[in-house]
Amino acid sequence: MSSSSTDRPTYATHREQLELRFRNATLTAREHLTDDYVRVRLSGDDLRGFDTPGHDDHIRIFLPDGPVSTVEEMRAAPSREFTPLAWGETHDGDAFLDLEFALHGDDGVAGVWAANAPLGAPIGVGGPRGTLRVDGSPDGWLLAGDETAIAQIRRYAALIPEDAPALIIVEVRNAGQQVPIDAPVPVEYVHRKDQAPGTALAAALDTLDEDDRPGEDPFVFIAAEQAIVKTGRALACDRWGLDADRRVIKGYWKAGDTEFHAPH
Ligand SMILES: Cc1cc2nc3c(=O)[nH]c(=O)nc-3n(C[C@H](O)[C@H](O)[C@H](O)COP(=O)(O)OP(=O)(O)OC[C@H]3O[C@@H](n4cnc5c(N)ncnc54)[C@H](O)[C@@H]3O)c2cc1C
């Protein structure tokens, strides 16, 4: 019997479509959390009212290489998918949206923009067009990913009660790249060093068996380079027997692919 068919489910997940909105903003702050990981703040009146009723979603950012004067020009700019991390209004009443970027050299529009765009640079924000809501409290959690999933892991970690069994596993390049993450349990960082992306995370997930399952009816989130999907499914579907509404397992990027579109 799968976990989600137990008599007393402690939670439910719901997918909701949201009204798609497009907003203009500008880059107003940048903070390096490690050499290869930055948090940026976007600001602008268009961001007033930005919100999502759910816990797992993404926006599409549009990155023109200079000022644009029309929405059409902005929409024609290169775009990529990112996770809204925090949003609202500052004490001064300025609307903001914070995002975090894994930097990965010179070969990506978004990574290069996050590292180098001058303060004041324009950016377009589309969405989120859908969201996943977790209602109630899973009796255990597994959150696992590489740097690209840290923003989403932060959002899920904020839902975990202090006493819930939880595993949080994050792959980074080395000890110097461990991005601090607030969570009610210690985060286990694994280091890929010179191996292919996802190798260290996959090895960590492969060691988990039935006895390591956190709780009877846990929620699982796994996202990293596309190859992690096979490993994630082997754990969550085959070894832990979780139904589709108990797991999110996604490739957030694909080695060698520019502007990878994750299957939704
Ligand atoms: C739902 C969702 C949410 C996401 N949220 C975030 C987020 O909050 N923060 C975040 O950093 N990323 C996030 N990503 C991943 C991000 O969209 C991709 O990494 C994207 O490809 C980055 O765009 P780019 O322009 O920098 O690189 P691209 O132009 O798309 O790719 C250029 C080259 O860089 C490679 N590449 C892309 N990303 C990486 C990487 N991380 N490490 C090494 N090589 C890479 C590609 O394989 C390609 O060869 C998310 C993806 C999805 C699907």
Side-chain angles (χ1 to χ4, degrees):
M1 188 168 64
S2 78
S3 63
S4 53
S5 55
T6 52
D7 290 341
R8 289 173 292 119
T10 58
Y11 76 106
T13 58
H14 300 281
R15 287 186 189 276
E16 271 180 45
Q17 290 296 110
L18 305 176
E19 188 188 343
L20 181 60
R21 268 202 60 184
F22 186 81
R23 302 164 197 265
N24 287 300
T26 54
L27 175 64
T28 52
R30 170 189 288 113
E31 179 189 4
H32 271 267
L33 304 190
T34 72
D35 292 350
D36 289 341
Y37 195 86
V38 291
R39 180 177 297 168
V40 305
R41 172 154 291 186
L42 314 180
S43 306
D45 279 344
D46 257 12
L47 291 173
R48 216 168 289 287
F50 178 97
D51 204 2
T52 153
H55 305 107
D56 183 340
D57 40 50
H58 65 274
I59 54 170
R60 179 161 282 275
I61 57 169
F62 294 79
L63 303 167
D65 57 9
V68 292
S69 43
T70 64
V71 171
E72 288 69 33
E73 273 183 87
M74 181 65 91
R75 281 182 190 271
S79 66
R80 301 286 186 271
E81 292 176 342
F82 281 81
T83 306
L85 172 64
W87 53 88
E89 290 185 18
T90 65
H91 290 309
D92 297 331
D94 297 328
F96 71 90
L97 170 62
D98 290 345
L99 309 177
E100 290 185 346
F101 291 72
L103 306 182
H104 55 96
D106 297 334
D107 59 351
V109 177
V112 169
W113 186 92
N116 303 306
L119 297 188
I123 178 170
V125 173
R129 65 162 70 220
T131 191
L132 178 77
R133 220 177 61 229
V134 181
D135 287 336
S137 201
D139 68 3
W141 296 78
L142 168 66
L143 308 178
D146 66 8
E147 295 91 334
T148 63
I150 288 176
Q152 186 55 60
I153 287 175
R154 291 190 198 283
R155 287 179 61 186
Y156 277 129
L159 302 179
I160 305 178
E162 286 294 332
D163 53 352
L167 292 167
I168 304 180
I169 309 173
V170 176
E171 178 185 292
V172 295
R173 189 152 47 83
N174 56 39
Q177 304 301 325
Q178 290 183 187
V179 178
I181 297 173
D182 271 346
V185 294
V187 175
E188 181 189 343
Y189 293 93
V190 294
H191 301 152
R192 65 178 161 275
K193 299 185 179 148
D194 294 329
Q195 303 172 95
T199 307
L201 185 60
L205 296 178
D206 279 342
T207 65
L208 300 177
D209 59 26
E210 177 58 29
D211 297 341
D212 299 303
R213 175 172 154 147
E216 271 302 303
D217 188 12
F219 181 77
V220 166
F221 169 79
I222 300 172
E225 200 279 332
Q226 173 69 19
I228 206 66
V229 170
K230 195 172 166 208
T231 312
R233 287 196 184 134
L235 173 64
C237 312
D238 303 343
R239 301 206 290 288
W240 289 356
L242 302 183
D243 288 346
D245 63 343
R246 262 52 187 157
R247 53 181 154 86
V248 172
I249 301 172
K250 271 191 190 167
Y252 264 18
W253 61 284
K254 187 171 180 189
D257 269 25
T258 293
E259 207 191 341
F260 173 66
H261 290 285
H264 296 297

